[in-house]
Amino acid sequence: MKVLIIMGSESDKPVMEESQKHLQYFGIDNEMIVASAHRNPDKVRELCITAQEKGFGVIIAAAGMAAALPGVVSAYTSLPVLGVPLDGGLPGGIDALYSIVQMPAGLPVGTLAVGKAGARNAAVLAARILALGNKEIAAKVEAFKQNGYRI
């Protein structure tokens, strides 16, 4: 299974490349796509409703400010959605954090820390999810743990 990384803006790429680096360490194929819930809602919808049939098992969605993207992604898929709040609005990305963590019942988004730490942890959490059905990923998750949670 692969991981789909969706971010709201091209400017989010330097942060979300942290997710890619960690996913590559775990041997997990991934694809990173820019698609804004506000600017490209039809693209977001299409990505989400076709993700599972394209072999994706987890979606990481990153957004700043209003941070609607992770919630919209959750509305369009049954896959696990991991939200990464990004800095860009209020100091420390607190607006994005609140937007992502305050999802209505039934539309879960696993919310991580703001910024690069959250991007890294989203990849690690995705690896742990996929490890449940993949012994090779499980072995790499264990090696990561034994290495002090470092790649």
Side-chain angles (χ1 to χ4, degrees), residues 18 22 25-26 117 120-121 123-125 127-128 140-151:
E18 294 295 319
H22 278 69
Y25 167 82
F26 291 113
R120 292 178 195 124
N121 278 341
V124 174
L125 187 53
R128 287 180 174 191
K140 289 184 180 183
V141 168
E142 187 58 33
F144 177 74
K145 180 180 168 189
Q146 296 304 318
N147 194 43
Y149 303 98
R150 292 184 308 268
I151 58 173

Side-chain angles (χ1 to χ4, degrees), residues 4 6 33 35 42-51 54:
L4 177 59
I6 305 175
I33 297 174
D42 292 337
K43 182 177 180 180
V44 171
R45 180 184 177 280
E46 183 64 22
L47 287 166
C48 294
I49 64 173
T50 61
K54 291 179 180 176

Side-chain angles (χ1 to χ4, degrees), residues 42-123:
D42 292 337
K43 182 177 180 180
V44 171
R45 180 184 177 280
E46 183 64 22
L47 287 166
C48 294
I49 64 173
T50 61
Q52 197 163 7
E53 69 190 43
K54 291 179 180 176
F56 293 102
V58 176
I59 299 175
I60 297 172
M65 300 175 69
L69 183 61
V72 170
V73 168
S74 184
Y76 283 124
T77 188
S78 297
L79 295 173
V81 177
L82 307 177
V84 178
L86 301 173
D87 205 350
L90 296 176
I94 196 77
D95 49 348
L97 176 63
Y98 284 157
S99 294
I100 296 172
V101 80
Q102 292 289 16
M103 292 301 302
L107 287 167
V109 173
T111 308
L112 288 302
V114 175
K116 287 185 177 184
R120 292 178 195 124
N121 278 341

